[in-house]
Amino acid sequence: VQDPSYPVYVDTSVMMGQTGLINEETRQFDGIVYMPCTAENNFFPDLASLPRADVVYFCSPNNPTGAAATKEQLTELVNICKERGSILVFDAAYAPFIRSPGIPKSIYEIEGAKDVAIECNSFSKYAGFTGVRLGWTVVPENLKFSDGTPVRNDFNRVMTTAFNGASNIVQSGGLACLDEEGQKEITTLIDYYLENAAMLKEAMESIGYDVYGGTDAPYVFVKLPEGQGSWEAFSEILEKAQVVTIPGAGFGPGGEGYLRLSAFAPRDGVIEACTRLKEQMKKE
């Protein structure tokens, strides 16, 4: 898993019994390979230096860092997984936020990805379906276990056993998102959130912080001064400016020393938050 990353990748692995116990010193679970993704490596792991894993989770654009992997980086990732016999689970939930030319929106834009990758996505970030719950998973026919059996057969068995499908109402909402009018509305909504992200990024940069993300993602990742913990910074900003941020430590040990800001808010709230941050948090 990327470190930092959306906590569910680790949490579900633990719940399914695929890990060892947590190391109280590192706050990492035994049996999981953590891929450091920080400003020092441009938020992309040194894959060649890491041990093999059966399953590799990768999210791009990333939550919480906002980093979007390039075609060259994803090609390296696919090739490593193919060489090592790893299944790549690619989380593309934030793909519609990509605006930079040449940044892949799907792992299947990479040659050979259909041999190694499962791709997950949902309407949660596209169209605000977070509570409605409607998504999709692509399991290519080419993706096979080492004995040659298709992965999709096992995936289909699990899904048809555990899940009876989305309700008709929810599916109708999804279809409405996919027609011409729905696509236009989604584009307008995402542009709105990206404008929010740009405002948050500018505000934190004007205060004097090093800031990442916010260009091809709705998240702004703020690097804290050396020695300041993310929970400490969260508390300081909450007390001084009454603005809620997310401590980077909540996304894994690699998130310590960072804060995440989210663009998923009404414009008036973002403007007010930026004003408060600039007034109350400006560095001496």
Side-chain angles (χ1 to χ4, degrees), residues 4 64 204 209 221-239 243-261 281:
M204 296 307 287
Y209 288 99
F221 209 48
V222 182
K223 187 173 179 60
L224 300 171
E226 190 71 31
Q228 185 177 32
S230 58
W231 279 104
E232 177 189 350
F234 162 83
S235 298
E236 181 184 2
I237 292 173
L238 184 61
E239 291 171 7
V243 173
V244 176
T245 59
I246 303 295
F251 299 94
E256 184 54 89
Y258 294 87
L259 287 177
R260 193 200 76 172
L261 306 183
M281 303 306 302

Side-chain angles (χ1 to χ4, degrees), residues 209-225:
Y209 288 99
D210 292 329
V211 185
Y212 307 92
T215 302
D216 293 310
Y219 300 122
V220 174
F221 209 48
V222 182
K223 187 173 179 60
L224 300 171

